[in-house]
Amino acid sequence: MTLDLSAFPADFLWGAATSSYQIEGAVDEDGRTPSIWDTFAATPGRVDKGDTGAVAVDHYHRYAEDIELMSDLGLNAYRFSVAWPRVQPDGIGTGNAPGIAFYDRLVDGLLAKGITPWTTLYHWDLPEVLEQAGGWPVRDTAERFADYTAIIAEALGDRVKHWITLNEPWCAAFLGYASGIHAPGRTDPADAVAASHHLMLGHGLAVQRLREIVPDAEVGCTVNLYPVTPLDDSGRHDDAVRRIDGLMNRWFLDPLLKGSYPKDVLHDMSAVTDAAFILEGDTGVIAQPLDFLGVNYYTRHVVGAGLWPGSADVRFHLNNGLETTDTGWDIDPQGLVDILSQVQRDYPAIPVYLTENGAAFDDVAVDGVVHDDNRIEFLESHLASLATLRQHGVDIRGYFAWSLLDNYEWSEGYAKRFGIVHVDYETQKRTPKDSAHWYADVIKRHRTATLGT
């Protein structure tokens, strides 16, 4: 495949993304207190091989080296998240100066290399002290999130102008509080729905604080979207499609972009909750005007109705005859076209950034080289989908590869490698993979074609 770069404008953002718990390490340095992921990872049986993020890839100490890597690749944007318990260790009160100073150094280092910082406020590392007070199912956590937002906005807002409030609230709510496979590991469906609402409420309150403190900020929210299609065209799976699309996509997109929750999804959830936690005025707070929508895309959901007639069960089919990544997810670049076309069709016009897209493969460094043609094919095919979407009028303004570095992959520990830069976890040696060199060439060719530099 030869990627046609003419569809991407001169000011298109070429970036890479990471998150704090997955890369920083230094979990007990400079005043940082435990997050829910520290507690979860320390619980036997929760994470593959008992891996934790205590060291991760030591970005806290090696950030300058990592910025040099970004500069060598030609990135013009870097999306990182702030560790809430590093900035506000008690989940309440004033900021922690040594923790904030780390992000000062990081931002200054990025800007010195001409790399635009994109800051995510919440990528799942809730202070453990707030989880002990009830966590996201409790309304007060949304207020605490707004206060934390104000602290970091005051600290960085003179230099950081691009802000993402939440990363994938679906995962934080439903994997953390319903299935229990992510921190904090709870399994209460009603709590999960309440958590999803309070995450969204926290988003709205955070947007208000950002607008007050950084008037020239561009603010958005990142959601993980999946096109949902039926197992076959018999029609008997259509309600399963509606329900999963409702829970995965519309439950978050509707309040963000339309100012209301979808009534059919509220009805679907009525068996587990009366949604009394949604108070008058909440949806107005959530529906703050946004400058962009962040979208994370990895694969498609193919769903079928339950095994028995009339069954409410839904079956997910993750392997549908396509090639798969090391996580077992279908490689489906057409799904990116489908889901962003759905957003364009069903919601008011809004600029979109693909804030995560990538794949895990079983990469091995041999004599200082990592060949990952499969990842190159993945990235190229998805960028081709973005080119197609732009040609059809979808306002896509940037792409962030997931991930810059191999890192801690949540409940799978260090077993899955998503990075375009290989990390030897024993020595912390960074080795750009073939995909990193390919991505650098894409950026250079685009820059040459559009800017002549």
Side-chain angles (χ1 to χ4, degrees):
M1 176 188 296
T2 300
L3 182 63
D4 180 7
L5 296 174
S6 64
F8 302 107
D11 60 353
F12 192 80
L13 282 188
W14 298 102
T18 64
S19 85
S20 50
Y21 191 71
Q22 292 179 275
I23 68 167
E24 286 182 3
V27 296
D28 56 1
E29 292 187 34
D30 294 333
R32 183 190 180 278
T33 57
S35 75
I36 55 174
W37 269 98
D38 294 292
T39 303
F40 184 83
T43 305
R46 291 295 201 181
V47 177
D48 187 32
K49 297 183 176 64
D51 290 341
T52 78
V55 176
V57 296
D58 197 29
H59 175 74
Y60 191 76
H61 301 112
R62 298 170 185 262
Y63 71 93
E65 176 186 352
D66 294 336
I67 291 172
E68 286 294 336
L69 277 171
M70 297 179 222
S71 179
D72 290 345
L73 294 177
L75 302 185
N76 57 18
Y78 172 55
R79 179 185 170 222
F80 65 93
S81 76
V82 174
W84 187 347
R86 198 179 293 288
V87 166
Q88 193 188 38
D90 296 326
I92 193 170
T94 58
N96 172 42
I100 293 170
F102 166 70
Y103 298 105
D104 274 323
R105 296 192 296 271
L106 176 63
V107 167
D108 288 345
L110 291 167
L111 292 172
K113 292 292 186 178
I115 301 169
T116 301
W118 278 60
T119 300
T120 300
L121 291 165
Y122 187 71
H123 200 131
W124 309 350
D125 41 6
L126 182 72
E128 175 63 25
V129 65
L130 292 184
E131 173 61 22
Q132 294 302 312
W136 284 110
V138 174
R139 188 179 185 88
D140 186 62
T141 305
E143 299 284 353
R144 302 286 70 74
F145 179 62
D147 292 343
Y148 148 70
T149 295
I151 292 170
I152 201 66
E154 290 279 6
L156 303 182
D158 59 328
R159 289 153 291 157
V160 175
K161 303 302 179 183
H162 300 85
W163 298 84
I164 294 169
T165 54
L166 306 175
N167 179 78
E168 299 183 351
W170 183 89
C171 293
F174 292 101
L175 298 185
Y177 290 93
S179 71
I181 65 173
H182 276 192
R186 287 159 62 176
T187 54
D188 186 318
D191 278 352
V193 181
S196 72
H197 174 65
H198 294 138
L199 280 154
M200 298 306 291
L201 180 64
H203 152 80
L205 294 170
V207 174
Q208 291 176 341
R209 295 293 184 92
L210 284 166
R211 300 288 189 209
E212 293 168 4
I213 297 166
V214 192
D216 56 345
E218 293 191 11
V219 183
C221 183
T222 282
V223 289
N224 51 314
L225 300 182
Y226 302 84
V228 184
T229 53
L231 184 60
D232 57 49
D233 59 4
S234 65
R236 73 186 190 93
H237 308 298
D238 290 354
D239 191 57
V241 169
R242 176 198 64 77
R243 287 160 53 207
I244 299 304
D245 176 62
L247 184 63
M248 300 293 302
N249 300 323
R250 293 184 289 114
W251 182 248
F252 298 95
L253 289 172
D254 279 25
L256 282 173
L257 303 178
K258 291 184 175 180
S260 62
Y261 283 108
K263 292 181 179 179
D264 64 311
V265 183
L266 282 167
H267 176 75
D268 292 341
M269 292 177 172
S270 62
V272 299
T273 179
D274 61 6
F277 45 78
I278 304 176
L279 305 185
E280 184 176 355
D282 282 0
T283 52
V285 173
I286 295 169
Q288 299 295 306
L290 297 180
D291 299 295
F292 64 88
L293 178 70
V295 173
N296 293 352
Y297 174 75
Y298 290 98
T299 193
R300 178 193 304 271
H301 284 326
V302 178
V303 301
L307 296 173
W308 308 107
S311 169
D313 295 338
V314 174
R315 291 176 292 151
F316 283 82
H317 298 260
L318 298 179
N319 188 338
N320 299 286
L322 301 175
E323 291 186 34
T324 62
T325 68
D326 199 37
T327 51
W329 301 342
D330 281 347
I331 299 173
D332 193 344
Q334 179 59 40
L336 181 56
V337 175
D338 294 347
I339 190 60
L340 290 186
S341 296
Q342 179 179 328
V343 171
Q344 184 187 44
R345 181 190 71 227
D346 295 344
Y347 295 93
I350 186 169
V352 172
Y353 291 86
L354 203 63
T355 43
E356 284 184 28
N357 177 240
F361 293 106
D362 188 16
D363 306 317
V364 179
V366 179
D367 297 327
V369 176
V370 182
H371 297 304
D372 61 341
D373 289 348
N374 40 17
R375 181 173 288 104
I376 292 172
E377 292 172 7
F378 181 100
L379 297 173
E380 189 166 33
S381 65
H382 286 77
L383 283 170
S385 290
L386 289 189
T388 297
L389 286 158
R390 282 198 55 87
Q391 290 161 353
H392 287 84
V394 181
D395 187 8
I396 300 166
R397 299 189 181 182
Y399 178 85
F400 292 81
W402 184 270
S403 172
L404 175 68
L405 302 161
D406 289 338
N407 57 39
Y408 182 81
E409 190 49 39
W410 306 115
S411 58
E412 294 183 288
Y414 297 99
K416 307 299 181 185
R417 293 182 177 271
F418 277 86
I420 59 174
V421 174
H422 181 274
V423 179
D424 181 321
Y425 296 126
E426 295 297 321
T427 66
Q428 297 296 345
K429 178 178 174 57
R430 274 81 159 133
T431 302
K433 304 176 187 179
D434 285 355
S435 58
H437 299 301
W438 172 86
Y439 192 38
D441 183 64
V442 167
I443 296 168
K444 183 178 179 180
R445 287 192 290 116
H446 176 259
R447 187 168 295 151
T448 299
T450 58
L451 300 176
T453 60

